[in-house]
Amino acid sequence: MKHFLTVVVLGAAVVTLVSAASTDGAISFEYHRYEELRKALVSVWLQCPTITRIYTIGESFEGRELLVLEMSDNPGTHEPGEPEFKYIANMHGNEVVGRELLIYLAQYLCNQYQQGNETIIDLIHNTRMQDFNYLSSNSFEITLELSCDKFPNEETLKSYWEQNRNSLVNYIEQVHRGVKGFIRDLQGNPISNATVSVEGIDHDITTAKDGDYWRLLAPGNYKVAASAPGYLTVIKKVAVPYSPATRVDFELESLMERKEEEREELMDWWKMMSETLNF
């Protein structure tokens, strides 16, 4: 059986990793059992406390906590306009390469951040994790196969890391492509849960509480629509480059405002006709 690394890509930014690191900054290429994973998560947090957060999303069938490590310049806080990204590994307990690579990735990001790697600093400062309600409605899920060996020898783990390190980092960077922006009403108030649709693509997303959205798209020309209950839909033509994401904001007019405008226009017309015909 092959190893699987499940990748969930969001429209806003942090890297969430079930992962670990040692406090001395050295990557240890070895397998981690559950208790070792818990200790490793704490080690990452202790090494980089200003850019990490540990939390739980529940328990496994056997009652073990499902811990998550978040990495961001403001962990635990949604920052309007930032894209979000999530890696998930170890979907099956005996398919271990994906889990170990994310352990190494978390430590690598922490180490490189502390050492002043500008690429990693920029990535962490401009990418963050989203809450799970947003995740479930706005994610793109991709499964990557990393190995044909379910449980390879421990001495091969370093080579797996070296072969996949750059790809793991570069894949996170892809979240900064496509279109992004805010959806507001005519008074500038954010519209949450507004729908962003792309013509010809059957995958809509919704805005966060601040009206912000991110929509991953390959380079090309698109028609992007913004809609919300009680508002008129707005459609824009957008040319999307390879990188970075194109900013596309929307202002939606409420149906009540439109009806009021139409009523006023009708009254003005009636007044004009009355004066003209001497009613």
Side-chain angles (χ1 to χ4, degrees):
M1 184 179 293
K2 298 179 180 179
H3 291 289
F4 294 99
L5 170 63
T6 299
V7 182
V8 181
V9 183
L10 309 183
V14 156
V15 185
T16 304
L17 306 167
V18 178
S19 48
S22 60
T23 55
D24 62 4
I27 295 178
S28 179
F29 297 102
E30 59 187 6
Y31 285 118
H32 296 75
R33 296 181 181 275
Y34 177 72
E35 289 302 324
E36 294 167 340
L37 276 173
R38 290 176 59 90
K39 293 178 182 178
L41 282 168
V42 173
S43 295
V44 176
W45 173 64
L46 290 175
Q47 183 180 342
C48 294
T50 62
I51 60 168
T52 60
R53 179 174 73 105
I54 298 175
Y55 65 97
T56 179
I57 57 173
E59 294 183 346
S60 69
F61 178 78
E62 296 182 349
R64 295 174 175 176
E65 279 191 309
L66 301 176
L67 298 176
V68 177
L69 177 67
E70 174 187 343
M71 303 188 76
S72 167
D73 61 334
N74 289 295
T77 303
H78 171 71
E79 296 181 81
E82 282 197 357
E84 304 185 359
F85 186 98
K86 186 179 182 73
Y87 268 133
I88 303 175
N90 205 36
M91 299 300 290
H92 302 110
N94 61 350
E95 296 172 357
V96 297
V97 172
R99 177 190 68 201
E100 299 303 328
L101 289 189
L102 291 196
I103 291 174
Y104 310 151
L105 178 61
Q107 183 172 0
Y108 174 78
L109 293 174
C110 177
N111 292 342
Q112 293 299 306
Y113 185 89
Q114 290 185 327
Q115 294 172 19
N117 184 318
E118 293 184 1
T119 298
I120 299 303
I121 291 174
D122 182 70
L123 189 63
I124 291 177
H125 283 189
N126 294 285
T127 317
R128 60 165 303 96
M129 188 195 77
Q130 191 74 297
D131 65 78
F132 277 78
N133 288 328
Y134 193 79
L135 167 66
S136 63
S137 63
N138 293 280
S139 62
F140 295 82
E141 185 171 317
I142 302 172
T143 300
L144 304 179
E145 301 177 1
L146 298 177
S147 171
C148 292
D149 188 352
K150 180 180 287 191
F151 212 119
N153 292 330
E154 192 172 65
E155 57 265 25
T156 66
L157 293 177
K158 183 177 181 180
S159 64
Y160 277 111
W161 165 246
E162 292 173 344
Q163 292 166 8
N164 291 280
R165 178 189 61 203
N166 291 339
S167 296
L168 289 169
V169 174
N170 291 339
Y171 198 72
I172 298 170
E173 295 175 331
Q174 307 311 304
V175 77
H176 291 274
R177 294 178 177 173
V179 292
K180 65 176 181 178
F182 290 81
I183 299 179
R184 302 183 176 95
D185 62 21
L186 297 185
Q187 287 71 46
N189 301 309
I191 302 176
S192 62
N193 292 317
T195 299
V196 178
S197 306
V198 180
E199 184 179 88
I201 300 178
D202 187 21
H203 185 96
D204 298 341
I205 63 169
T206 55
T207 55
K209 63 182 180 66
D210 297 291
D212 53 323
Y213 76 93
W214 277 80
R215 180 60 168 87
L216 300 181
L217 290 172
N221 297 313
Y222 299 90
K223 288 184 179 180
V224 181
S227 61
Y231 292 87
L232 296 173
T233 298
V234 175
I235 301 175
K236 293 186 177 183
K237 293 182 178 180
V238 182
V240 177
Y242 180 75
S243 181
T246 300
R247 176 76 177 262
V248 183
D249 294 331
F250 292 88
E251 288 187 343
L252 303 187
E253 181 181 6
S254 73
L255 293 175
M256 292 297 295
E257 290 174 332
R258 173 56 64 89
K259 290 180 180 179
E260 180 63 24
E261 289 178 2
E262 292 176 348
R263 189 186 72 82
E264 291 179 356
E265 290 176 356
L266 180 60
M267 292 299 294
D268 289 341
W269 177 84
W270 179 252
K271 181 179 180 181
M272 180 190 68
M273 292 299 295
S274 298
E275 293 174 350
T276 301
L277 299 176
N278 295 319
F279 283 177

